[in-house]
Amino acid sequence: MRTSILGLLGVLACAAAVQSHAAPLLALQCGDVFDAKAAKLIGARTIVTAADGRIAQVLPGKATAPDATVVDLSGQTCMPGWIDLHVHLGQESSPKSYEERFRLDDIDFGYRALVYADRTLKAGFTTVRDLGGDVTPHLRDAINQGYVQGPRIYAAGKSIATTGGHGDPRNGINSELAHLLGPPGPADGVINSVDDARQAVRQRYKEGSDVIKITATGGVLSYAKSGDAPQFTVDEVRAVVDTAKDYGYRVAAHAHGKEGIRRAVEGGVTSIEHGTYMDDEIFALMKKHGTWYVPTISAGKFVAGKAKIDGYYPDIIRPKAARIGAQIQDTFAQAYKAGVKIGFGTDQGVAPHGQNALEFGYMVEAGMPAATALQAATFNAAEVLGAPDLGQLAPGFRADVVAVPGNPLDDITLTSKVSFVMKDGAIYAGGGSAR
Ligand SMILES: [Zn+2]
């Protein structure tokens, strides 16, 4: 990755303006405010930000504060900056994806990631959990250091799979290449025992991950036949989860098939991603263990749509995309009715970055009230992350604010028409002269 880091330094000159986003004192006069804890609108409020990038005060109605510059957001609804719990900023799938991994270097994906991060932030997503990719921990650091702009990132780094499983980096390559590269091990994100599982988590710690991702079953876009076969033993999941706890990590489990989901939940993971073939038995188990569900309907719809196009996906991918992709929204509807805890996530990088807010519409379409969908991307998502200062507009919380022109509870499509974005007290979209 050394060359990638050096390469990324090349963009510093053009990104220098970003560093001027020191947080000024601002008074955001919001026409309406979404209380993410109560999941309801509470009327006009003025949000006063502090120099440390946090919210200092939330005042009733249209107010000002000493030394604060007023930002007029009348007619707009302010919400806590949205959180997407499942993205891959280091990639964006296309018919070229399967050859690009042989032609491009990490630095190429790094440059693209800068654009994806910018689009994500401007779409109102001030925080993301990136569940797999070598580029993103470096992108996270560049954003945190002010070199480039993007959302706050919780990065998994390499995801952890088993041999031939979803995320095995040697899947789909010819035998000569596979021989040259040798069998992948825990450092590459491939484990086959509880000892390997511990080593893989410790390796992620060494590399600076913020969260651990496992692929508990097959997946749609990997070059392998099964999208739903279980790929971890319960003992392997437990070893990951227990070791992760040593480092304060939470564990997210990609899983489509029922048996793999069951093992992941019993093994103690924090969240099930996709969860395609869950049923009432699984819902009950998740409620018993307090497991979160991150649905990623966006990815399901995207791959099901592309599976209809000849040649878009390799032949081995196409039937998985058609079958699994089409199921996720229905499963989400059942999980919501069953009372499973739901956090917002899209799997963006499958579908294009910056279109994350379409997920809100898919959730509402499946029967979830708009306010509950917004809560899933704010209050709930902060709980999934274990981030006590995210997901609410209240004193002491990070000054992450997104606004839309009108009432998103009446019209959820307004979430795709973001009019204002603030992260850590700095404005990245809208805000007029205060920017
Ligand atoms: Zn994913």
Side-chain angles (χ1 to χ4, degrees):
M1 281 305 292
R2 171 157 288 267
T3 51
S4 302
I5 294 163
L6 292 173
L8 281 168
L9 292 174
V11 300
L12 296 191
C14 60
V18 177
Q19 287 178 297
S20 67
H21 276 302
L25 302 186
L26 298 170
L28 313 180
Q29 295 179 338
C30 301
D32 211 335
V33 162
F34 179 67
D35 178 335
K37 193 173 180 184
K40 63 177 189 187
L41 295 176
I42 54 171
R45 294 284 189 280
T46 299
I47 298 164
V48 182
T49 63
D52 63 358
R54 290 178 187 271
I55 294 171
Q57 288 176 288
V58 179
L59 304 168
K62 203 183 241 194
T64 54
D67 301 323
T69 303
V70 168
V71 180
D72 180 9
L73 299 174
S74 54
Q76 300 180 45
T77 300
C78 294
M79 290 159 266
W82 296 323
I83 300 167
D84 190 330
L85 292 168
H86 194 138
V87 302
H88 300 276
L89 286 171
Q91 55 189 272
E92 192 168 275
S93 78
S94 79
K96 290 184 191 163
S97 303
Y98 295 90
E99 63 160 83
E100 281 183 341
R101 55 186 285 238
F102 295 104
R103 301 192 193 286
L104 302 184
D105 292 319
D106 277 351
I107 182 63
D108 298 303
F109 292 108
Y111 278 112
R112 292 178 185 187
L114 299 176
V115 177
Y116 303 149
D118 188 61
R119 286 179 188 157
T120 302
L121 178 61
K122 301 251 175 73
F125 289 82
T126 51
T127 303
V128 298
R129 190 174 62 159
D130 188 288
L131 291 185
D134 294 344
V135 161
T136 310
H138 303 278
L139 175 65
R140 171 201 62 199
D141 294 345
I143 291 169
N144 289 347
Q145 292 159 15
Y147 293 121
V148 295
Q149 66 184 38
R152 179 183 298 99
I153 295 174
Y154 287 71
K158 272 189 216 308
S159 62
I160 300 173
T162 54
T163 291
H166 187 55
D168 178 334
R170 307 284 194 271
N171 284 351
I173 65 179
N174 70 37
S175 54
E176 192 176 2
L177 256 181
H179 178 73
L180 280 171
L181 292 167
D188 310 294
V190 176
I191 68 148
N192 286 290
S193 67
V194 297
D195 285 345
D196 282 359
R198 290 189 200 103
Q199 189 185 338
V201 172
R202 289 167 182 159
Q203 184 72 28
R204 299 293 89 78
Y205 169 71
K206 186 172 172 176
E207 293 163 358
S209 295
D210 305 300
V211 58
I212 299 298
K213 157 85 174 293
I214 65 167
T215 49
T217 74
V220 172
L221 296 186
S222 51
Y223 207 93
K225 191 175 174 195
S226 174
D228 51 4
Q231 297 186 336
F232 276 66
T233 66
V234 180
D235 286 345
E236 286 165 345
V237 176
R238 276 206 189 103
V240 167
V241 170
D242 288 346
T243 311
K245 276 185 193 147
D246 289 344
Y247 300 95
Y249 288 149
R250 297 183 175 203
V251 179
H254 154 108
H256 292 296
K258 181 176 173 181
E259 175 59 18
I261 294 168
R262 188 184 64 72
R263 294 183 198 174
V265 172
E266 288 182 346
V269 303
T270 301
S271 61
I272 294 293
E273 313 291 312
H274 322 303
T276 310
Y277 296 112
M278 299 192 296
D279 59 11
D280 287 340
E281 194 187 335
I282 295 290
F283 298 148
L285 193 67
M286 289 173 76
K287 287 164 77 172
K288 182 179 147 204
H289 286 265
T291 316
W292 288 89
Y293 176 38
V294 178
T296 73
I297 306 166
S298 299
K301 286 200 179 266
F302 184 86
V303 300
K306 298 305 181 194
K308 294 183 180 138
I309 302 170
D310 278 339
Y312 191 95
Y313 291 127
D315 290 345
I316 197 170
I317 310 290
R318 194 175 182 178
K320 294 190 292 176
R323 197 166 50 84
I324 290 173
Q327 176 59 39
I328 294 181
Q329 192 177 30
D330 285 348
T331 303
F332 163 80
Q334 293 167 35
Y336 168 62
K337 273 195 217 124
V340 174
K341 298 192 294 181
I342 291 171
F344 181 102
T346 59
D347 206 1
Q348 226 62 320
V350 175
H353 294 284
Q355 296 181 8
N356 313 56
L358 291 178
E359 184 84 11
F360 288 120
Y362 299 147
M363 294 166 97
V364 170
E365 189 177 70
M368 178 180 265
T372 310
L374 293 170
Q375 187 179 45
T378 51
F379 184 82
N380 287 9
E383 261 201 56
V384 177
L385 290 174
D389 57 355
L390 295 179
Q392 293 184 61
L393 296 177
F397 281 76
R398 305 301 319 178
D400 288 7
V401 184
V402 53
V404 300
N407 182 343
L409 305 193
D410 290 344
D411 178 5
I412 197 65
T413 67
L414 289 174
T415 53
S416 291
K417 296 172 185 146
V418 163
S419 49
F420 176 83
V421 178
M422 166 180 277
K423 188 189 89 177
D424 283 332
I427 300 173
Y428 292 92
S433 59
R435 268 190 91 183

mmCIF file of all heavy atoms in Angstrom, residues 343-372:
data_model
loop_
_atom_site.group_PDB
_atom_site.id
_atom_site.type_symbol
_atom_site.label_atom_id
_atom_site.label_comp_id
_atom_site.label_asym_id
_atom_site.label_seq_id
_atom_site.Cartn_x
_atom_site.Cartn_y
_atom_site.Cartn_z
ATOM 1 N N GLY A 343 -30.968 -1.217 11.450
ATOM 2 C CA GLY A 343 -30.079 -0.089 11.176
ATOM 3 C C GLY A 343 -29.966 0.104 9.672
ATOM 4 O O GLY A 343 -30.043 -0.858 8.910
ATOM 5 N N PHE A 344 -29.774 1.334 9.252
ATOM 6 C CA PHE A 344 -29.779 1.685 7.832
ATOM 7 C C PHE A 344 -28.465 1.295 7.156
ATOM 8 O O PHE A 344 -27.381 1.629 7.639
ATOM 9 C CB PHE A 344 -29.981 3.192 7.715
ATOM 10 C CG PHE A 344 -30.028 3.740 6.314
ATOM 11 C CD1 PHE A 344 -31.232 4.075 5.726
ATOM 12 C CD2 PHE A 344 -28.858 3.960 5.593
ATOM 13 C CE1 PHE A 344 -31.288 4.613 4.452
ATOM 14 C CE2 PHE A 344 -28.898 4.496 4.310
ATOM 15 C CZ PHE A 344 -30.116 4.826 3.739
ATOM 16 N N GLY A 345 -28.560 0.601 6.022
ATOM 17 C CA GLY A 345 -27.352 0.284 5.256
ATOM 18 C C GLY A 345 -27.704 -0.058 3.827
ATOM 19 O O GLY A 345 -28.751 -0.663 3.570
ATOM 20 N N THR A 346 -26.851 0.324 2.883
ATOM 21 C CA THR A 346 -27.169 0.171 1.462
ATOM 22 C C THR A 346 -26.315 -0.851 0.712
ATOM 23 O O THR A 346 -26.730 -1.382 -0.299
ATOM 24 C CB THR A 346 -26.957 1.512 0.735
ATOM 25 O OG1 THR A 346 -25.589 1.909 0.901
ATOM 26 C CG2 THR A 346 -27.886 2.586 1.285
ATOM 27 N N ASP A 347 -25.080 -1.093 1.198
ATOM 28 C CA ASP A 347 -24.069 -1.850 0.438
ATOM 29 C C ASP A 347 -23.624 -1.048 -0.788
ATOM 30 O O ASP A 347 -23.253 -1.621 -1.818
ATOM 31 C CB ASP A 347 -24.580 -3.226 0.025
ATOM 32 C CG ASP A 347 -23.448 -4.238 -0.174
ATOM 33 O OD1 ASP A 347 -22.270 -3.871 0.025
ATOM 34 O OD2 ASP A 347 -23.748 -5.390 -0.522
ATOM 35 N N GLN A 348 -23.655 0.283 -0.673
ATOM 36 C CA GLN A 348 -23.256 1.129 -1.797
ATOM 37 C C GLN A 348 -21.830 0.802 -2.221
ATOM 38 O O GLN A 348 -20.963 0.528 -1.392
ATOM 39 C CB GLN A 348 -23.388 2.604 -1.396
ATOM 40 C CG GLN A 348 -24.075 3.452 -2.429
ATOM 41 C CD GLN A 348 -25.519 3.041 -2.733
ATOM 42 O OE1 GLN A 348 -25.867 1.877 -2.822
ATOM 43 N NE2 GLN A 348 -26.361 4.023 -2.912
ATOM 44 N N GLY A 349 -21.615 0.853 -3.515
ATOM 45 C CA GLY A 349 -20.394 0.274 -4.096
ATOM 46 C C GLY A 349 -20.825 -0.918 -4.932
ATOM 47 O O GLY A 349 -20.200 -1.263 -5.912
ATOM 48 N N VAL A 350 -21.989 -1.504 -4.535
ATOM 49 C CA VAL A 350 -22.721 -2.375 -5.461
ATOM 50 C C VAL A 350 -23.507 -1.428 -6.371
ATOM 51 O O VAL A 350 -23.238 -1.330 -7.560
ATOM 52 C CB VAL A 350 -23.643 -3.357 -4.707
ATOM 53 C CG1 VAL A 350 -24.474 -4.158 -5.698
ATOM 54 C CG2 VAL A 350 -22.818 -4.289 -3.835
ATOM 55 N N ALA A 351 -24.453 -0.660 -5.802
ATOM 56 C CA ALA A 351 -25.102 0.435 -6.539
ATOM 57 C C ALA A 351 -24.213 1.684 -6.413
ATOM 58 O O ALA A 351 -23.312 1.729 -5.565
ATOM 59 C CB ALA A 351 -26.490 0.689 -5.968
ATOM 60 N N PRO A 352 -24.436 2.701 -7.258
ATOM 61 C CA PRO A 352 -23.524 3.856 -7.266
ATOM 62 C C PRO A 352 -23.510 4.663 -5.967
ATOM 63 O O PRO A 352 -24.546 4.919 -5.366
ATOM 64 C CB PRO A 352 -24.079 4.718 -8.414
ATOM 65 C CG PRO A 352 -24.830 3.779 -9.286
ATOM 66 C CD PRO A 352 -25.412 2.753 -8.357
ATOM 67 N N HIS A 353 -22.312 5.064 -5.559
ATOM 68 C CA HIS A 353 -22.145 5.925 -4.395
ATOM 69 C C HIS A 353 -22.874 7.245 -4.608
ATOM 70 O O HIS A 353 -22.892 7.777 -5.724
ATOM 71 C CB HIS A 353 -20.656 6.185 -4.154
ATOM 72 C CG HIS A 353 -19.916 4.950 -3.770
ATOM 73 N ND1 HIS A 353 -19.997 4.394 -2.513
ATOM 74 C CD2 HIS A 353 -19.097 4.127 -4.478
ATOM 75 C CE1 HIS A 353 -19.259 3.303 -2.456
ATOM 76 N NE2 HIS A 353 -18.704 3.106 -3.641
ATOM 77 N N GLY A 354 -23.448 7.762 -3.556
ATOM 78 C CA GLY A 354 -24.169 9.031 -3.625
ATOM 79 C C GLY A 354 -25.672 8.840 -3.781
ATOM 80 O O GLY A 354 -26.435 9.771 -3.577
ATOM 81 N N GLN A 355 -26.075 7.614 -4.122
ATOM 82 C CA GLN A 355 -27.515 7.327 -4.240
ATOM 83 C C GLN A 355 -28.038 6.609 -2.993
ATOM 84 O O GLN A 355 -29.083 5.943 -3.021
ATOM 85 C CB GLN A 355 -27.793 6.480 -5.487
ATOM 86 C CG GLN A 355 -27.447 7.214 -6.777
ATOM 87 C CD GLN A 355 -27.733 6.386 -8.023
ATOM 88 O OE1 GLN A 355 -28.321 5.314 -7.956
ATOM 89 N NE2 GLN A 355 -27.308 6.893 -9.168
ATOM 90 N N ASN A 356 -27.308 6.760 -1.905
ATOM 91 C CA ASN A 356 -27.632 6.037 -0.665
ATOM 92 C C ASN A 356 -29.067 6.287 -0.195
ATOM 93 O O ASN A 356 -29.708 5.403 0.365
ATOM 94 C CB ASN A 356 -26.668 6.445 0.454
ATOM 95 C CG ASN A 356 -25.213 6.452 0.028
ATOM 96 O OD1 ASN A 356 -24.855 7.134 -0.939
ATOM 97 N ND2 ASN A 356 -24.375 5.708 0.715
ATOM 98 N N ALA A 357 -29.558 7.536 -0.393
ATOM 99 C CA ALA A 357 -30.875 7.894 0.165
ATOM 100 C C ALA A 357 -32.029 7.153 -0.496
ATOM 101 O O ALA A 357 -33.140 7.128 0.051
ATOM 102 C CB ALA A 357 -31.098 9.401 0.062
ATOM 103 N N LEU A 358 -31.792 6.517 -1.656
ATOM 104 C CA LEU A 358 -32.874 5.725 -2.266
ATOM 105 C C LEU A 358 -33.357 4.641 -1.308
ATOM 106 O O LEU A 358 -34.518 4.227 -1.341
ATOM 107 C CB LEU A 358 -32.389 5.088 -3.577
ATOM 108 C CG LEU A 358 -32.122 6.046 -4.745
ATOM 109 C CD1 LEU A 358 -31.597 5.285 -5.952
ATOM 110 C CD2 LEU A 358 -33.392 6.818 -5.112
ATOM 111 N N GLU A 359 -32.447 4.181 -0.433
ATOM 112 C CA GLU A 359 -32.802 3.137 0.538
ATOM 113 C C GLU A 359 -33.994 3.561 1.411
ATOM 114 O O GLU A 359 -34.844 2.732 1.751
ATOM 115 C CB GLU A 359 -31.589 2.807 1.412
ATOM 116 C CG GLU A 359 -31.788 1.670 2.415
ATOM 117 C CD GLU A 359 -31.568 0.276 1.818
ATOM 118 O OE1 GLU A 359 -31.066 0.151 0.680
ATOM 119 O OE2 GLU A 359 -31.923 -0.706 2.501
ATOM 120 N N PHE A 360 -34.048 4.857 1.774
ATOM 121 C CA PHE A 360 -35.179 5.335 2.588
ATOM 122 C C PHE A 360 -36.500 5.010 1.884
ATOM 123 O O PHE A 360 -37.452 4.533 2.496
ATOM 124 C CB PHE A 360 -35.095 6.847 2.797
ATOM 125 C CG PHE A 360 -34.008 7.301 3.745
ATOM 126 C CD1 PHE A 360 -33.003 8.163 3.306
ATOM 127 C CD2 PHE A 360 -34.008 6.900 5.069
ATOM 128 C CE1 PHE A 360 -32.018 8.608 4.176
ATOM 129 C CE2 PHE A 360 -33.027 7.343 5.953
ATOM 130 C CZ PHE A 360 -32.020 8.199 5.502
ATOM 131 N N GLY A 361 -36.547 5.310 0.577
ATOM 132 C CA GLY A 361 -37.764 5.062 -0.197
ATOM 133 C C GLY A 361 -38.108 3.578 -0.245
ATOM 134 O O GLY A 361 -39.281 3.198 -0.136
ATOM 135 N N TYR A 362 -37.072 2.732 -0.383
ATOM 136 C CA TYR A 362 -37.311 1.283 -0.431
ATOM 137 C C TYR A 362 -37.854 0.771 0.911
ATOM 138 O O TYR A 362 -38.674 -0.139 0.964
ATOM 139 C CB TYR A 362 -36.022 0.530 -0.774
ATOM 140 C CG TYR A 362 -35.430 0.889 -2.126
ATOM 141 C CD1 TYR A 362 -34.047 0.886 -2.317
ATOM 142 C CD2 TYR A 362 -36.242 1.216 -3.210
ATOM 143 C CE1 TYR A 362 -33.491 1.203 -3.548
ATOM 144 C CE2 TYR A 362 -35.694 1.541 -4.436
ATOM 145 C CZ TYR A 362 -34.320 1.529 -4.604
ATOM 146 O OH TYR A 362 -33.769 1.839 -5.822
ATOM 147 N N MET A 363 -37.355 1.364 1.999
ATOM 148 C CA MET A 363 -37.830 0.950 3.328
ATOM 149 C C MET A 363 -39.296 1.343 3.510
ATOM 150 O O MET A 363 -40.114 0.560 4.012
ATOM 151 C CB MET A 363 -36.953 1.604 4.411
ATOM 152 C CG MET A 363 -35.504 1.100 4.403
ATOM 153 S SD MET A 363 -34.386 2.148 5.390
ATOM 154 C CE MET A 363 -34.350 1.244 6.932
ATOM 155 N N VAL A 364 -39.630 2.565 3.087
ATOM 156 C CA VAL A 364 -41.005 3.053 3.217
ATOM 157 C C VAL A 364 -41.940 2.242 2.314
ATOM 158 O O VAL A 364 -43.041 1.845 2.718
ATOM 159 C CB VAL A 364 -41.061 4.564 2.895
ATOM 160 C CG1 VAL A 364 -42.506 5.043 2.785
ATOM 161 C CG2 VAL A 364 -40.312 5.352 3.976
ATOM 162 N N GLU A 365 -41.469 1.954 1.105
ATOM 163 C CA GLU A 365 -42.240 1.145 0.153
ATOM 164 C C GLU A 365 -42.593 -0.226 0.753
ATOM 165 O O GLU A 365 -43.646 -0.791 0.482
ATOM 166 C CB GLU A 365 -41.361 0.949 -1.093
ATOM 167 C CG GLU A 365 -41.994 0.322 -2.298
ATOM 168 C CD GLU A 365 -40.983 0.270 -3.454
ATOM 169 O OE1 GLU A 365 -40.010 -0.520 -3.388
ATOM 170 O OE2 GLU A 365 -41.161 1.034 -4.407
ATOM 171 N N ALA A 366 -41.704 -0.746 1.613
ATOM 172 C CA ALA A 366 -41.915 -2.076 2.202
ATOM 173 C C ALA A 366 -42.724 -2.020 3.497
ATOM 174 O O ALA A 366 -42.902 -3.044 4.156
ATOM 175 C CB ALA A 366 -40.559 -2.732 2.464
ATOM 176 N N GLY A 367 -43.194 -0.831 3.873
ATOM 177 C CA GLY A 367 -44.105 -0.758 5.013
ATOM 178 C C GLY A 367 -43.576 -0.071 6.258
ATOM 179 O O GLY A 367 -44.270 0.002 7.272
ATOM 180 N N MET A 368 -42.347 0.426 6.226
ATOM 181 C CA MET A 368 -41.811 1.111 7.400
ATOM 182 C C MET A 368 -42.193 2.599 7.334
ATOM 183 O O MET A 368 -42.050 3.223 6.292
ATOM 184 C CB MET A 368 -40.270 0.969 7.434
ATOM 185 C CG MET A 368 -39.618 1.682 8.604
ATOM 186 S SD MET A 368 -37.794 1.487 8.603
ATOM 187 C CE MET A 368 -37.626 0.076 9.697
ATOM 188 N N PRO A 369 -42.682 3.179 8.433
ATOM 189 C CA PRO A 369 -42.975 4.614 8.414
ATOM 190 C C PRO A 369 -41.704 5.424 8.134
ATOM 191 O O PRO A 369 -40.610 5.015 8.529
ATOM 192 C CB PRO A 369 -43.476 4.903 9.838
ATOM 193 C CG PRO A 369 -43.879 3.571 10.393
ATOM 194 C CD PRO A 369 -43.005 2.548 9.726
ATOM 195 N N ALA A 370 -41.872 6.564 7.455
ATOM 196 C CA ALA A 370 -40.711 7.387 7.087
ATOM 197 C C ALA A 370 -39.885 7.776 8.322
ATOM 198 O O ALA A 370 -38.651 7.755 8.288
ATOM 199 C CB ALA A 370 -41.173 8.639 6.345
ATOM 200 N N ALA A 371 -40.566 8.115 9.406
ATOM 201 C CA ALA A 371 -39.837 8.541 10.610
ATOM 202 C C ALA A 371 -38.976 7.400 11.163
ATOM 203 O O ALA A 371 -37.869 7.626 11.664
ATOM 204 C CB ALA A 371 -40.817 9.021 11.678
ATOM 205 N N THR A 372 -39.466 6.171 11.051
ATOM 206 C CA THR A 372 -38.712 5.013 11.535
ATOM 207 C C THR A 372 -37.508 4.746 10.641
ATOM 208 O O THR A 372 -36.428 4.371 11.125
ATOM 209 C CB THR A 372 -39.630 3.775 11.599
ATOM 210 O OG1 THR A 372 -40.824 4.135 12.289
ATOM 211 C CG2 THR A 372 -38.973 2.626 12.331
#
